[in-house]
Amino acid sequence: MASLSAAEGNSAMAHQEIVEAEKLPGPKVYKLLVSSRYPVTNVEPSMYLGAISELLAGTIVFSFIITWFHDCVTGTNKLWDNPIHNMVGYNNPCAFWDQPPALYFAFLAFCPMVYLAIRYAHLDSLRADLTFSERKVGNAIINWTYAASQCIVMGIFVVTPMVSMAEDPKPEDVEKMHYHMRVHSAFFLQ
């Protein structure tokens, strides 16, 4: 079997249809998955941000369902009796995945988000290099800071808010719970 020369390869590639990933049907996560099947695809970097948002929304919903189902089966009340709700008076999305079993699902669901953030940073930096000749370094710093932030946010699964097992915790236990909450919040909000 003969191999193509560089000129023949470029000519063959020029005759292939370019698939616009944005025009494919479905949510952005699905569009990215489907577009990877085509040899020549035009994918806007912003699609990766959209896919991250879709995955995050799905993670929040499924974590809520898992925690709610766990509460129904075990008779616990993790949805309303959790460290975040007890400290600040309301739940944020973290409250749904801060404790097992939703913690295990959410950790795995965040992994593709980290990949998509790194992919976004890479592609958007390439786009910026081709578009803006004088702002390459600034765009790269912003993009790679965002990607690093997405990696750091995984720390919320390592340092989870502490749950007090005692009705009346000791002051040192309260301080330890506050410390864990501050570190957990720093990972999430950084």
Side-chain angles (χ1 to χ4, degrees):
M1 179 178 207
S3 63
L4 296 174
S5 70
E8 291 170 328
N10 288 340
S11 174
M13 211 154 122
H15 295 296
Q16 291 180 344
E17 180 183 349
I18 297 175
V19 175
E20 297 284 335
E22 190 66 45
K23 294 180 182 176
L24 295 171
K28 291 187 183 341
V29 172
Y30 179 76
K31 290 177 183 183
L32 288 173
L33 287 172
V34 170
S35 69
S36 66
R37 296 185 320 181
Y38 297 101
V40 182
T41 308
N42 181 10
V43 178
E44 290 293 320
S46 62
M47 283 190 65
Y48 289 91
L49 291 178
I52 292 168
S53 298
E54 292 170 357
L55 287 173
L56 181 60
T59 302
I60 291 168
V61 169
F62 283 116
S63 294
F64 175 84
I65 292 169
I66 290 168
T67 303
W68 175 78
F69 187 73
H70 181 267
D71 282 354
C72 290
V73 170
T74 62
T76 58
N77 191 16
K78 290 183 181 181
L79 281 177
W80 304 110
D81 186 18
N82 58 65
I84 291 176
H85 190 272
N86 295 342
M87 288 185 115
V88 295
Y90 58 89
N91 281 334
N92 67 20
C94 286
F96 306 143
W97 62 57
D98 276 344
Q99 299 174 47
L103 176 74
Y104 309 130
F105 163 76
F107 172 74
L108 293 174
F110 263 69
C111 292
M113 291 184 234
V114 172
Y115 168 76
L116 292 172
I118 293 170
R119 188 79 175 129
Y120 165 77
H122 177 236
L123 291 177
D124 194 58
S125 292
L126 287 175
R127 180 201 55 79
D129 287 352
L130 295 171
T131 307
F132 308 110
S133 60
E134 67 278 348
R135 292 187 267 175
K136 291 180 183 181
V137 175
N139 285 323
I141 290 170
I142 291 168
N143 284 329
W144 289 107
T145 300
Y146 171 71
S149 172
Q150 287 293 311
C151 294
I152 293 168
V153 81
M154 294 292 285
I156 65 174
F157 302 110
V158 178
V159 181
T160 58
M162 288 183 67
V163 178
S164 174
M165 297 301 172
E167 282 292 319
D168 189 25
K170 298 175 188 169
E172 57 268 9
D173 291 337
V174 171
E175 182 56 38
K176 197 181 291 186
M177 288 187 290
H178 287 175
Y179 174 77
H180 273 252
M181 184 62 76
R182 286 191 296 271
V183 172
H184 179 79
S185 297
F187 279 126
F188 190 70
L189 298 173
Q190 48 75 37

